[in-house]
Amino acid sequence: MGVTGRLAGGIAIVLLLSSPFTAFVSSWVFGTAQAGIAVALIALYFATNWAHFGQFASRRSTSYFLISMATGLALLGALAAVNVIAYRKNVRWDLSKNHIFTLAKQTKDALQKMPEPVRVVTFIPSNAGGLRDRVEPLLNRYQREAPEKFAYEFKDPARTPDLVREYRLQPGQPAAVLLRGEGDRQQRLLVPIYDGLTEQDLTNALLELGGGAKRNVYFIEGHGEWPLTPKEGGAQAERMLSMYKLEQALSSEGYNALPLNLASKGDVPDDAAGVILSGARSPLAEMEVAALERFLARGGRMIIGAEPEVDEGLSRLLEKYAVQLDDGMLADSQYMHESIYFLVVAPEFFSDHPIVRPLKGEKLNLAFPTARGLSILREGMLPGVTTLPLLTTSPNAWEETTPNETPQPSSGEKAGQIVLAAAATRPVPQQGGAPARETRLVVIGDSETLTDAMLTFEGNLNFVLNCLAWITDQPNRITIRPPDRDLSTIDMTPDTVAQIRFFSVALLPITLLCVAVGVWIQRRNK
């Protein structure tokens, strides 16, 4: 019984000393239970080893034991001090696959460039389950990034009916209200909350707050262009050949996406912040081309997405801005994706233009499934036009003039690094001494880049939206946006979390330590 008692005493010391740790990392229930077991084991030790206390105190091993105990306590104290310092310094590492706990560059830039603090009042009913637990970590990341410019608080709409009326909230609809300024100068923006609040929603709201009315972007139609809405009842591949994803992205970034039929309108509306022509399958009429020329001549902004083997009727317009659409389809024997025509443009083939500079810094590839090359002209353009390449192919590319299933470079075909996208500018003097307005034009050699299928690539989405931000004079939106982050989460109750912590952080290490103490006591008694 003496050996059993001594074994129980050794284990009791381990359990008693570690019970505060268990209570801290798991719950006070487990910590209290552990301390109770330790007290019971100590009682067993006293009951079976009462006669040996005098001998124990006189042994040399006792002093060694006390020194070991003091060393262990000092080590525990040092570990506690390190944890306190780490907590106060608030050092964090995001080891998740898609960096779901790290704010995107666009978000960080938006927070740093906010001219004045923004306060977010989040209205979530008390019976909304774990909605607050899903929203608060995101708001907390924003506050940690810019504590002097971003603050947030939560309100229960049932307990604050006056605020619900003031902010004109829908009954029962969780929402975040962004507030900037005070009194009569205060600006407000409401962001509905459904299953949660995404970083892109919140960042776009920050950028829109105080940015004025939404800008109108017109999509030309009437020539077989990619539609703004998916084809009803079509196959999945057909449904992906629309610009619905782009329309949704534009709406979230503060634009209105509107259709424009130049044949019926006769001219581009004066409120057009930009015009997009993407995927025309037949030539534009002369009067439509003339309308676009007038629009650009007065400082208009435009994006053109071309397609191989299609004559859009834009040769005259493009030549005025030093761009020529080449014949044939681009092929590449090395930088390809699904086929030799499906080009992958690596960051080393990006220029230093503001549109692609962020993508180059983040090393994001771009994808072009069916592209045609561009040539930048050196003569014949309008006075003052400056045209620069945005992207080029790799040196292994060539223009296949007779596309087939087994393309090979042939004599007379253009080869090498071929321009895939270009940006043109031209200053336009204004009447009455007003500052000159700048015409801006982006030409992309593959209109499919703007379709839903291609915008699933993070690089393509940022490239297209950066082009639009550039032509509409919004440099703060030329950035890398938060990617679509698929969260794989498991909802756990606080009790479940406590149990997992107890078994993984407390029970397992303490059990191993108890086994080690038991082995030491057994060997000592041999």
Side-chain angles (χ1 to χ4, degrees):
M1 286 296 292
V3 175
T4 302
R6 287 194 290 274
L7 183 61
I11 294 174
I13 292 174
V14 174
L15 293 178
L16 187 62
L17 292 177
S18 60
S19 59
F21 173 76
T22 301
F24 175 74
V25 300
S26 179
S27 72
W28 67 270
V29 176
F30 290 122
T32 304
Q34 183 176 319
I37 295 173
V39 171
L41 292 177
I42 290 174
L44 176 62
Y45 170 77
F46 277 108
T48 56
N49 291 272
W50 186 260
H52 297 281
F53 282 120
Q55 299 177 10
F56 175 77
S58 61
R59 290 176 182 172
R60 180 180 297 178
S61 60
T62 301
S63 62
Y64 292 154
F65 174 75
L66 294 176
I67 293 173
S68 299
M69 286 290 295
T71 304
L73 291 174
L75 179 61
L76 287 174
L79 290 174
V82 169
N83 276 276
V84 169
I85 294 172
Y87 176 78
R88 291 183 176 177
K89 292 293 184 181
N90 200 22
V91 178
R92 295 170 181 263
W93 293 273
D94 185 357
L95 303 180
S96 58
K97 179 181 178 181
N98 294 323
H99 299 288
I100 60 176
F101 304 111
T102 302
L103 296 178
K105 182 180 184 299
Q106 183 191 32
T107 299
K108 295 179 180 179
D109 290 343
L111 288 169
Q112 295 302 324
K113 294 176 181 178
M114 285 194 302
E116 55 186 326
V118 170
R119 181 166 59 96
V120 180
V121 183
T122 308
F123 292 87
I124 296 180
S126 57
N127 60 354
L131 184 57
R132 173 169 175 167
D133 294 334
R134 294 194 293 272
V135 171
E136 188 166 13
L138 177 64
L139 296 174
N140 187 256
R141 286 197 286 274
Y142 277 70
Q143 189 178 56
R144 287 201 310 270
E145 180 66 28
E148 71 286 353
K149 291 188 176 182
F150 188 92
Y152 69 91
E153 59 182 308
F154 284 89
K155 298 288 185 182
D156 185 345
R159 297 183 179 181
T160 55
D162 53 335
L163 292 179
V164 170
R165 289 191 299 270
E166 181 181 353
Y167 299 145
R168 299 179 181 179
L169 303 181
Q170 294 293 328
Q173 172 63 61
V177 180
L178 282 70
L179 305 173
R180 173 186 167 188
E182 300 293 340
D184 296 337
R185 293 180 52 255
Q186 188 178 76
Q187 296 172 296
R188 301 173 183 173
L189 186 63
L190 186 145
V191 180
I193 298 175
Y194 298 100
D195 293 333
L197 184 64
T198 68
E199 181 182 346
Q200 186 67 77
D201 289 339
L202 188 53
T203 298
N204 284 334
L206 287 175
L207 292 171
E208 186 177 344
L209 191 65
K214 286 193 172 186
R215 302 168 186 242
N216 293 331
V217 176
Y218 288 90
F219 287 76
I220 295 178
E221 61 180 15
H223 316 87
E225 293 87 355
W226 304 119
L228 286 176
T229 56
K231 183 178 180 181
E232 292 291 339
Q236 177 66 20
E238 292 179 324
R239 292 197 299 271
M240 293 298 283
L241 291 178
S242 75
M243 293 187 289
Y244 177 72
K245 187 177 179 69
L246 177 58
E247 181 189 20
Q248 297 298 107
L250 295 184
S251 178
S252 68
E253 296 223 348
Y255 301 96
N256 290 317
L258 303 171
L260 173 62
N261 192 316
L262 284 173
S264 60
K265 292 291 184 181
D267 216 335
V268 177
D270 292 335
D271 65 352
V275 172
I276 295 178
L277 172 62
S278 182
R281 301 295 167 178
S282 61
L284 276 68
E286 283 290 330
M287 58 84 63
E288 294 176 300
V289 176
L292 293 177
E293 289 181 346
R294 289 194 299 271
F295 172 66
L296 292 175
R298 63 177 186 259
R301 313 298 176 85
M302 189 173 181
I303 296 175
I304 297 176
E307 276 295 299
E309 302 182 302
V310 173
D311 178 15
E312 296 91 347
L314 298 175
S315 298
R316 183 187 69 195
L317 181 150
L318 293 177
E319 287 173 1
K320 291 182 177 181
Y321 293 91
V323 177
Q324 174 183 287
L325 295 175
D326 297 342
D327 295 329
M329 185 183 300
L330 290 174
D332 194 318
S333 59
Q334 181 177 354
Y335 287 85
M336 57 183 181
H337 181 47
E338 297 173 345
S339 74
I340 201 167
Y341 295 114
F342 197 127
L343 306 185
V344 175
V345 182
E348 55 261 38
F349 306 124
F350 297 0
S351 72
D352 196 43
H353 194 279
I355 291 175
V356 292
R357 194 178 299 150
L359 285 74
K360 189 174 184 179
E362 293 294 322
K363 301 187 183 302
L364 294 178
N365 292 338
L366 300 181
F368 294 83
T370 55
R372 69 189 298 178
L374 310 179
S375 293
I376 296 180
L377 306 178
R378 300 303 174 194
E379 58 183 16
M381 72 285 291
L382 292 172
V385 168
T386 301
T387 303
L388 300 172
L390 298 177
L391 315 163
T392 64
T393 65
S394 78
N396 306 299
W398 74 95
E399 291 179 344
E400 182 62 45
T401 55
T402 56
N404 55 70
E405 294 183 357
T406 57
Q408 294 291 333
S410 302
S411 176
E413 292 179 335
K414 186 177 179 179
Q417 287 192 270
I418 302 170
V419 177
L420 267 167
T425 60
R426 178 176 180 253
V428 179
Q430 301 294 300
Q431 296 180 352
R437 178 174 170 80
E438 188 175 65
T439 297
R440 292 188 176 185
L441 172 66
V442 173
V443 183
I444 304 172
D446 190 355
S447 68
E448 282 190 64
T449 307
L450 284 72
T451 62
D452 297 349
M454 291 298 101
L455 292 185
T456 57
F457 293 92
E458 183 182 354
N460 284 33
L461 178 62
N462 281 285
F463 171 65
V464 173
L465 293 179
N466 282 359
C467 288
L468 194 62
W470 180 73
I471 68 169
T472 57
D473 279 327
Q474 297 190 89
N476 60 324
R477 289 190 180 273
I478 301 178
T479 183
I480 302 298
R481 291 147 188 86
D484 293 332
R485 292 161 171 164
D486 296 327
L487 288 174
S488 299
T489 59
I490 301 175
D491 291 331
M492 294 186 292
T493 64
D495 290 340
T496 304
V497 173
Q499 292 171 10
I500 292 175
R501 285 177 176 172
F502 172 69
F503 283 101
S504 61
V505 182
L507 182 61
L508 182 60
I510 291 171
T511 300
L512 294 175
L513 187 56
C514 288
V515 171
V517 170
V519 171
W520 175 73
I521 292 176
Q522 288 283 17
R523 289 183 176 180
R524 185 174 178 275
N525 283 277
K526 287 183 178 180

